[in-house]
């Protein structure tokens, strides 16, 4: 399979290998998954680096993402413009960070960005409330949600500014060893 | 625009640092593409993770790891079985159906058994170099254990460094709930179930009672004590019962030799009894665990789960090993016991999995199943000296178990409701594997040095001990000047007690040092994270492909 593919030039494949945590075979497999979302939009020949972007609706309909409460945020974080529409590079980036091989710091960085709904580099109380609501499918009353968010900020906020910075979040992640195996999507 | 240019500049600086490791990674990737085994059942694992989440998936990953771990038996296979095929004698016994259950009979005259191996030095070419079967046997079994041990140590160190967390820091339960959403779960029903569980946990936590009244505390302690006494008592009772059964077995069941088939079937009574006990006692322990959780308030689960389940697991393991030893003592050869045990456990497992559906146990009991795997691996290690191909049989058994468990899981079970600390439990399972390996090494040493090998069969017939083959070989070597260094190594390292003392100290340190970290409450990794000011390659996103 290695030398017979015509989708990418060998240099492109090597560059993708270096920049993601995937092998050549996996990159090609992911390319075909990307293409299956919209065969009429994605060409089979990527050697001239075409500028193809798939809309968020197609990405969000993938079986790996369609029932994930955070699929919109994931697509927004990994897309170039922050609107959820992804090129092939964004697509590979996303699944590379969510794969087994990505290190803890990288995953923590992106998890932080996913939970930061208003993109201000801090997880404030409103971000936390939105997260809790997504996690519990809006089953909790606003008072309960508020109580949980206050508890989280109380426990995790080290510099006492009322919101969580990246360092606070990483400090929290260290105490949750399951994070590496749960922040993982198998594709 | 500023945001994007900042992104690009970090991309470029990252790229140059990344390239240093790039060629290494490319080589590793090419290698892994050839190892198709690593892609073993990717789809199956994905399906299981999608429906049940990471905790149940960890059992299947552990099983897959054990499967690959047993591949090291190829060392044995190549060094002793292939030469044995060259010098094989014809097999006189006939194949009856019962062999698949007992492991004796026809199989005794094949390469599966120690007795079949020749004690000659095999030489096919006239005046050519010959192959000393005795030395090959000892060294290949020794190398197998060394490989196993190193692999275990390495895997445990890797798992520990990945999953290390300091249990003494007051980890907030609230924050834990927020950063452990399982992204593996992709089936709608399971997602809804997980969300429901999460909201229940949050509600319970919010209404947490901080102080218990005195009566509640007393009740909790009493329940603890009762369950501990019950589990220990069951273990002791089962061990005692099997001991008496084994002593009286010969008197009760083995009468005159009617014929070969009947006498072999009579030998099966004890293993069947012990296997039935092995099958049902873990259910009893699970029930005890359920009882305890039912009695105590919900949010106490997090504190109790770890110590009690570990106690039950240890009890079960000791129980099983004791029962196995009793079976072994009644057998003429240990390998009969091992193979019988493996097959019976295997069959009972399959029967049990299908039968238990009707008993209504809907959740997959991870602890009990992992214990089965550890027990099977222990049997392999104990019996490897007398049946070099035992890991091969184990691999076949594990593959079938993988398939059967997967089918029964997908058909019968529902996603887990309780919290299961995946990372910590996985590390402790690997740690738990160390003790059986010590047992295997102990059995190896005792057989090599103490016990006189049998006179009529096997590669060591006629010698006073297995080790005598090595010492004889060293005496021969002393006459050749070219191999003086081998003799020196032998006299100063292998025969000296000091070397073994130092070796065992080093090994103990490797195992106990991580435990010491836990006890002292230091967190090396946490300090490193906090003092990182420099952005290195791994803490920034990998660059996109150049446009």
């Amino acid at each position: 399979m290695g030398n017979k593919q015509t989708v990418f030039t060998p240099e492109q494949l090597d560059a993708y290998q270096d920049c993601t945590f995937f092998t050549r075979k996996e990159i090609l497999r992911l390319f075909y998954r990307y293409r299956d979302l919209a065969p009429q939009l994605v060409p089979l020949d990527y050697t001239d680096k075409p500028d193809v972007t798939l809309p968020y609706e197609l990405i969000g309909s993938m079986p790996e993402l369609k029932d994930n409460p955070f699929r919109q945020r994931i697509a927004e974080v990994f897309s170039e413009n922050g609107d959820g529409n992804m090129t092939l590079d964004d697509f590979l980036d996303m699944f590379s960070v969510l794969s087994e091989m990505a290190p803890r710091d990288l995953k923590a960085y992106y998890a932080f960005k996913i939970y930061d709904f208003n993109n201000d580099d801090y997880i404030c109380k409103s971000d936390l409330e939105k997260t809790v609501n997504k996690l519990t499918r809006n089953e909790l009353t606003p008072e309960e949600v508020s109580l949980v968010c206050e508890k989280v900020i109380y426990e995790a906020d080290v510099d006492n500014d009322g919101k969580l910075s990246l360092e606070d979040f990483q400090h929290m992640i260290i105490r949750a060893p399951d994070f590496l195996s749960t922040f993982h999507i198998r594709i | 625009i500023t945001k994007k240019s900042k992104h690009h500049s970090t991309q470029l600086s990252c790229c140059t640092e990344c390239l240093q490791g790039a060629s290494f990674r490319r080589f590793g990737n090419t290698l892994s593409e050839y190892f198709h085994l690593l892609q073993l059942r990717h789809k199956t694992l994905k399906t299981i993770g999608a429906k049940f989440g990471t905790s149940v998936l960890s059992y299947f990953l552990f099983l897959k790891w054990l499967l690959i771990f047993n591949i090291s038996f190829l060392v044995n296979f190549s060094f002793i079985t292939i030469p044995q095929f060259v010098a094989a004698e014809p097999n006189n016994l006939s194949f009856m159906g019962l062999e698949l259950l007992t492991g004796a009979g026809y199989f005794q005259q094949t390469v599966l058994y120690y007795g079949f191996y020749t004690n000659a030095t095999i030489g096919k070419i006239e005046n050519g170099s010959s192959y000393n079967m005795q030395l090959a046997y000892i060294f290949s079994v020794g190398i197998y254990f060394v490989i196993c041990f190193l692999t275990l140590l390495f895997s445990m160190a890797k798992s520990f460094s990945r999953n290390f967390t300091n249990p003494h820091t007051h980890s907030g339960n609230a924050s834990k709930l927020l950063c452990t959403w399982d992204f593996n779960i992709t089936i709608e029903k399971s997602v809804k179930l997980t969300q429901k569980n999460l909201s229940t946990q949050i509600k319970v936590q919010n209404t947490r009672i901080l102080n218990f009244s005195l009566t509640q505390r007393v009740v909790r302690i009493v329940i603890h004590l009762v369950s501990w006494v019950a589990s220990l008592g069951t273990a002791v009772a089962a061990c005692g019962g099997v001991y008496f059964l084994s002593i009286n077995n010969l008197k009760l069941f083995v009468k005159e030799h009617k014929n070969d088939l009947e006498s072999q079937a009579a030998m099966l009574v004890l293993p069947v009894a012990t296997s039935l006990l092995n099958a049902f006692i873990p259910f009893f322990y699970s029930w005890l665990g359920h009882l305890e959780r039912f009695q105590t308030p919900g949010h106490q689960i997090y504190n109790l789960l770890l110590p009690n389940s570990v106690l039950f697991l240890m009890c079960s393991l000791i129980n099983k090993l004791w029962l196995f030893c009793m079976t072994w003592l009644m057998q003429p050869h240990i390998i009969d016991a091992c193979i019988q045990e493996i097959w019976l456990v295997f069959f009972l497992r399959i029967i049990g999995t299908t039968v238990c559906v009707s008993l209504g146990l809907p959740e997959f009991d991870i602890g009990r199943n992992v214990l089965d795997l550890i027990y099977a691996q222990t049997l392999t290690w104990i019996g490897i000296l007398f049946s070099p191909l035992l890991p091969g049989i184990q691999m076949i058994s594990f593959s079938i178990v993988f398939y059967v468990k997967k089918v029964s899981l997908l058909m019968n079970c529902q996603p887990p409701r309780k919290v299961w600390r995946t990372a910590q439990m996985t590390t402790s399972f690997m740690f738990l594997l160390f003790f059986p390996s010590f047992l295997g090494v102990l059995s190896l040493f005792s057989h090599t040095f103490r016990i006189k090998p049998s006179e009529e069969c096997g590669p060591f017939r006629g010698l006073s001990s297995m080790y005598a083959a090595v010492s004889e070989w060293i005496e021969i070597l002393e006459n050749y000047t070219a191999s003086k260094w081998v003799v020196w190594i032998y006299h100063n390292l292998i025969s000296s007690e000091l070397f073994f003392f130092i070796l065992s100290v080093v090994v103990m340190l490797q195992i106990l040092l991580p435990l010491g970290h836990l006890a002292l409450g230091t967190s090396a990794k946490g300090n490193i994270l906090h003092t990182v000011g420099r952005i290195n390659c791994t803490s920034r996103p990998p660059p996109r492909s150049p446009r």
Side-chain angles (χ1 to χ4, degrees):
Chain A
M1 194 174 175
N3 295 332
K4 287 181 273 185
Q5 57 86 24
T6 52
V7 180
F8 300 110
T9 64
E11 293 79 28
Q12 275 181 314
L13 258 189
D14 282 338
Y16 276 131
Q17 257 200 323
D18 295 337
C19 297
T20 65
F21 295 103
F22 292 123
T23 65
R24 265 192 291 258
K25 251 194 204 169
E26 286 164 347
I27 292 171
L28 281 168
R29 191 162 54 86
L30 279 169
F31 169 74
Y32 287 116
R33 285 298 303 271
Y34 184 73
R35 186 161 188 274
D36 284 339
L37 293 172
Q40 70 281 13
L41 286 176
V42 179
L44 268 173
D45 190 352
Y46 248 74
T47 48
D48 51 358
K49 304 188 182 85
D51 192 10
V52 176
T53 311
L54 290 187
Y56 162 68
E57 290 72 31
L58 288 175
I59 306 282
S61 68
M62 286 182 71
E64 286 85 359
L65 286 176
K66 75 171 167 45
D67 289 308
N68 192 319
F70 295 104
R71 60 187 175 281
Q72 175 125 25
R73 278 302 297 161
I74 296 174
E76 283 171 12
V77 161
F78 285 100
S79 65
E80 209 167 324
N81 305 326
D83 54 4
N85 306 326
M86 300 178 83
T87 64
L88 179 64
D89 288 352
D90 301 330
F91 189 80
L92 286 173
D93 239 358
M94 174 170 75
F95 283 110
S96 164
V97 169
L98 287 165
S99 71
E100 279 178 304
M101 284 80 70
R104 184 195 296 265
D105 300 340
L106 191 61
K107 289 191 184 216
Y109 174 78
Y110 277 101
F112 181 78
K113 284 180 81 168
I114 288 172
Y115 293 141
D116 181 12
F117 281 78
N118 50 13
N119 290 322
D120 61 352
D121 291 334
Y122 286 101
I123 297 182
C124 53
K125 192 161 176 220
S126 63
D127 293 333
L128 275 177
E129 284 175 356
K130 290 205 190 94
T131 307
V132 173
N133 276 324
K134 280 214 191 289
L135 282 175
T136 58
R137 214 182 190 90
N138 297 317
E139 271 187 21
L140 297 177
T141 65
E143 294 83 28
E144 287 170 337
V145 173
S146 181
L147 198 60
V148 168
C149 297
E150 278 165 15
K151 260 201 200 162
V152 172
I153 294 183
Y154 173 71
E155 285 166 4
D157 192 8
V158 170
D159 47 13
N160 281 324
D161 55 358
K163 42 194 182 169
L164 301 180
S165 61
L166 179 59
E167 283 76 30
D168 296 332
F169 189 74
Q170 281 174 332
H171 196 60
M172 198 162 83
I173 292 288
I174 300 174
R175 294 191 242 133
D178 290 335
F179 176 70
L180 267 181
S181 47
T182 54
F183 195 70
H184 167 226
I185 292 185
R186 206 176 275 267
I187 181 159
Chain B
I1 293 177
T2 40
K3 226 179 172 181
K4 213 170 171 183
S5 61
K6 211 168 49 163
H7 198 49
H8 276 293
S9 60
T10 48
Q11 276 178 11
L12 290 170
S13 60
C14 180
C15 226
T16 43
E17 284 174 354
C18 274
L19 274 172
Q20 282 143 18
S23 49
F24 203 65
R25 204 139 52 91
R26 276 189 230 176
F27 177 66
N29 283 346
T30 334
L31 267 186
S32 72
E33 276 177 24
Y34 286 114
F35 282 109
H36 292 293
L37 280 175
L38 294 175
Q39 310 293 327
L40 193 70
R41 308 205 170 114
H42 173 88
K43 251 191 150 52
T44 312
L45 293 174
K46 189 173 168 185
T47 325
I48 294 174
K51 195 170 173 201
F52 296 97
T54 320
S55 50
V56 172
L57 192 63
S58 69
Y59 165 77
F60 286 90
L61 289 174
F62 187 66
L63 178 53
K64 184 177 137 182
W65 182 83
L66 272 182
L67 204 70
I68 297 176
F69 182 70
N70 275 318
I71 282 181
S72 50
F73 89 103
L74 286 171
V75 166
N76 284 350
F77 181 73
S78 48
F79 283 116
I80 47 180
T81 322
I82 294 180
Q84 181 57 42
F85 278 134
V86 166
E89 293 157 12
N91 191 334
N92 300 326
L93 300 179
S94 55
F95 183 81
M96 295 181 279
L98 207 57
E99 267 87 13
L100 284 178
L101 272 187
T102 61
Y106 176 78
F107 286 142
Q108 269 174 338
Q109 290 284 348
T110 62
V111 286
L112 285 177
Y113 270 78
Y114 156 88
F116 184 60
Y117 287 85
T118 174
N119 72 335
T121 47
I122 303 167
K124 272 285 175 186
I125 313 163
E126 293 300 320
N127 300 326
S129 55
S130 63
Y131 193 81
N132 191 334
M133 187 53 118
Q134 297 173 334
L135 289 178
Y137 201 94
I138 286 193
F139 285 147
S140 61
V141 173
I143 291 174
Y144 170 78
F145 269 108
V146 167
I147 293 178
C148 278
F149 198 70
L150 288 176
T151 318
L152 256 187
L153 210 62
F154 179 69
S155 298
M156 210 191 82
K158 201 164 81 153
S159 161
F160 200 83
S161 69
R162 236 170 93 108
N163 300 325
F164 176 71
T165 182
N166 196 335
H168 291 301
T169 56
H170 287 288
S171 46
N173 286 329
S175 12
K176 271 237 191 96
L177 281 173
L178 280 183
C179 44
T180 53
W181 170 256
D182 200 345
F183 282 68
N184 272 307
I185 303 182
T186 55
I187 293 189
E188 194 188 348
K189 233 172 46 168
S190 304
V191 169
K192 284 194 186 149
L193 194 67
T194 317
Q195 284 170 321
K196 197 160 175 309
N197 291 341
L198 206 59
S199 54
T200 317
Q201 282 172 16
I202 292 179
K203 283 190 180 151
V204 162
Q205 269 193 358
N206 276 348
T207 57
R208 182 176 167 149
I209 310 163
L210 288 169
N211 292 318
F212 284 112
S213 64
L214 190 63
T215 41
Q216 277 181 319
R217 266 189 232 170
V218 167
V219 164
R220 268 184 63 215
I221 292 175
V222 165
I223 291 178
H224 265 316
L225 277 178
V226 165
S227 61
W228 279 47
V229 165
S231 55
L232 286 173
T234 323
V236 167
C239 296
V242 168
Y243 178 66
F244 285 118
L245 180 65
S246 61
I247 289 184
N248 298 320
N249 184 35
L250 289 172
K251 286 186 244 155
L252 286 174
F253 292 107
V254 179
K255 301 195 169 61
E256 313 88 40
H257 286 274
K258 298 266 169 65
N259 63 12
D260 211 28
L261 195 64
E262 270 202 21
S263 66
Q264 280 196 15
M267 301 280 260
L268 273 182
V269 168
L270 186 61
V272 165
T274 58
S275 301
L276 282 176
L277 274 177
N278 273 341
F280 288 118
I281 287 185
F283 285 115
F284 176 67
Y285 284 137
S286 300
W287 178 77
L288 269 182
H290 280 303
L291 192 68
E292 213 168 0
R293 278 194 283 281
F294 179 73
Q295 290 290 341
T296 59
H299 54 272
Q300 291 302 315
I301 288 176
Y302 307 125
N303 295 329
L304 291 180
L305 189 65
L306 202 52
N308 274 340
S309 56
V310 170
L311 168 75
F312 291 154
L313 289 178
M314 290 298 297
C315 271
S316 296
L317 189 62
I318 295 173
N319 209 10
K320 283 190 186 207
L321 286 175
W322 176 262
L323 299 183
F324 169 71
C325 287
M326 286 294 109
T327 324
W328 165 43
L329 283 176
M330 290 297 121
Q331 300 291 339
H333 305 292
I334 184 173
I335 190 50
D336 288 349
C338 277
I339 294 190
Q340 281 171 20
E341 191 68 11
I342 289 174
W343 285 123
L344 274 174
V345 164
F346 165 66
F347 278 122
L348 273 178
R349 219 184 267 155
I350 294 190
I351 295 172
T353 318
T354 44
V355 161
C356 278
V357 172
S358 52
L359 295 180
L361 294 168
E363 275 184 25
F364 188 78
D365 195 342
I366 305 170
R368 194 168 44 82
N369 285 299
V370 170
L371 191 74
D372 277 343
L373 297 180
I374 296 179
Y375 176 59
Q377 189 61 38
T378 316
L379 290 176
T380 315
W381 275 326
I382 292 179
I384 183 90
L385 187 60
F386 291 101
S387 172
L389 293 188
L390 207 52
I393 298 178
Q394 202 62 268
M395 271 179 74
I396 299 174
S397 154
F398 279 157
S399 322
I400 301 180
V401 163
F402 189 98
Y403 180 71
V404 167
K405 284 286 172 191
K406 171 203 120 183
V407 165
S408 88
L409 180 77
L410 291 174
M411 285 204 312
N412 305 325
C413 297
Q414 68 168 0
R417 255 169 293 153
K418 56 184 190 239
V419 170
W420 176 264
R421 297 178 187 163
T422 312
Q424 287 174 338
M425 291 310 270
T426 311
T427 317
S428 41
F429 289 148
M430 291 223 184
F431 182 68
L432 221 62
L433 263 184
F434 262 110
F435 300 109
S437 75
F438 287 149
L439 210 65
V441 169
L442 204 69
S443 113
L444 171 73
F445 277 173
S446 71
H447 279 108
T448 315
F449 292 104
R450 304 261 169 181
I451 298 185
K452 190 164 168 14
S454 89
E455 300 274 332
E456 302 100 32
C457 61
F460 299 102
R461 46 200 120 153
L463 294 176
S464 59
S465 79
M466 291 191 195
Y467 192 64
V470 177
S471 34
E472 278 178 13
W473 175 62
I474 293 288
E475 278 171 31
I476 297 173
L477 272 189
E478 270 173 10
N479 300 328
Y480 298 96
T481 44
S483 35
K484 276 273 186 242
W485 59 276
V486 178
V487 182
W488 182 87
I489 290 178
Y490 174 79
H491 281 303
N492 293 323
L493 292 183
I494 301 188
S495 307
S496 74
E497 290 86 12
L498 185 65
F499 175 71
F500 274 114
F501 178 69
I502 297 175
L503 193 67
S504 30
V505 163
V506 164
V507 163
M508 281 296 140
L509 275 180
Q510 277 279 51
I511 299 174
L512 294 177
L513 214 55
L515 288 182
H517 267 303
L518 276 177
L520 291 174
T522 54
S523 169
K525 206 145 196 256
N527 291 336
I528 292 171
L529 256 184
H530 276 291
T531 54
V532 158
R534 180 175 76 84
I535 312 271
N536 61 10
C537 201
T538 54
S539 68
R540 266 281 177 251
R544 309 272 177 80
S545 72
R547 288 185 173 263

